[in-house]
Amino acid sequence: QSALTQPRSVSGSPGQSVTISCTGTSSDVGGYNYVSWYQQHPGKAPKLMIYDVTRRPSRVPDRFSGSKSGNTASLTISGLQPDDEADYYCCSFAGSYTWVFGGGTKMTVL
Amino acid sequence: EVELVESGGDLVQPGGSLRLSCAASGFPFSPYEMIWVRQAPGKGLEWVSHISDTYALSNADSVRGRFTISRDNAKNTLYLQMSSLRAEDTAVYYCARVSRSSNYKEFDFWGQGTLVTVSS
């Protein structure tokens, strides 16, 4: 149950697009189409942004999108807005009702 | 409105025990799978435990044999019994609901967390 690998930080200017990667193994990210992404503002609870690799809850704007290739999943945020500045965590189902999170990425809007 | 409220966090000595609670409201509790996730100070999220609607349990390797998740559907409450606590168990503990909208593999509502500090 090793943590998924995410970049420590990414940044972009308002209106730009940024992509956050999440690398696992064939036992988690590569083995299941059950990758989810969570946004966490400082001092707040995480919020579900993407699930099943590409699906968005209805309340999440379509500026957020997800994808996967092999053992690496990605979250892309387009049209960056100031409120997108937060920590982002990927999470993958890893079989037998276990899950593994990524180490988190701090997203800075310049 | 879905609400999850954790309680029970405290300062406890190494080797001690603690029970966390998560009171659920705003949705039918019994059909939903539930989990605990923790976040050490300044660190990332770590999945801890899962309980199904049929009381099947799973735990992370880091807490197996020390932590036990349980639920009381009559009280709409999720629990985490923690024993043999270590300094590395210091964290904010969140309860979260497993979504039923798709394949039951993501967490759609979270509580605000309760802080557990293990220190002498």
Side-chain angles (χ1 to χ4, degrees):
Chain A
Q1 295 178 345
S2 299
L4 307 176
T5 300
Q6 296 181 233
R8 293 288 296 262
S9 64
V10 298
S11 62
S13 299
Q16 287 186 332
S17 294
V18 295
T19 297
I20 300 171
S21 62
C22 169
T23 301
T25 70
S26 58
S27 296
D28 38 64
V29 175
Y32 305 93
N33 287 322
Y34 300 139
V35 175
S36 51
W37 289 89
Y38 301 86
Q39 177 192 66
Q40 186 181 35
H41 286 107
K44 301 295 187 180
K47 174 186 172 185
L48 176 66
M49 305 302 285
I50 295 288
Y51 65 99
D52 292 352
V53 178
T54 62
R55 302 178 70 172
R56 270 181 303 105
S58 57
R59 54 172 173 70
V60 174
D62 60 5
R63 301 185 297 104
F64 291 83
S65 62
S67 63
K68 191 185 87 166
S69 177
N71 295 338
T72 298
S74 298
L75 172 72
T76 297
I77 310 170
S78 58
L80 270 177
Q81 298 183 1
D83 191 53
D84 297 336
E85 184 161 297
D87 293 327
Y88 290 85
Y89 294 91
C90 61
C91 180
S92 176
F93 182 71
S96 301
Y97 289 98
T98 66
W99 285 263
V100 59
F101 280 93
T105 298
K106 181 176 180 61
M107 222 289 292
T108 300
V109 179
L110 301 172
Chain B
E1 179 188 359
V2 173
E3 192 171 19
L4 298 170
V5 180
E6 301 94 337
S7 61
D10 205 347
L11 171 63
V12 60
Q13 292 189 341
S17 299
L18 202 61
R19 189 178 81 159
L20 306 182
S21 301
C22 169
S25 60
F27 67 100
F29 182 67
S30 59
Y32 281 85
E33 302 175 23
M34 300 291 295
I35 64 161
W36 287 97
V37 171
R38 67 185 180 182
Q39 186 170 34
K43 301 297 184 182
L45 302 173
E46 179 188 12
W47 170 78
V48 173
S49 294
H50 165 271
I51 186 167
S52 75
D53 56 332
T54 57
Y55 298 88
L57 313 177
S58 56
N59 293 288
D61 291 344
S62 57
V63 305
R64 190 167 293 122
R66 301 187 300 121
F67 290 11
T68 302
I69 189 173
S70 63
R71 63 191 300 162
D72 185 336
N73 289 341
K75 295 183 177 180
N76 290 344
T77 302
L78 177 73
Y79 300 101
L80 186 67
Q81 179 67 49
M82 305 184 293
S83 61
S84 302
L85 283 161
R86 307 165 180 167
E88 54 264 36
D89 296 319
T90 294
V92 173
Y93 284 73
Y94 295 99
C95 66
R97 189 181 82 168
V98 178
S99 171
R100 292 174 62 88
S101 64
S102 181
N103 294 295
Y104 301 16
K105 299 297 189 294
E106 69 280 356
F107 319 125
D108 60 353
F109 283 93
W110 296 63
Q112 287 304 304
T114 187
L115 176 62
V116 174
T117 302
V118 184
S119 175
S120 54

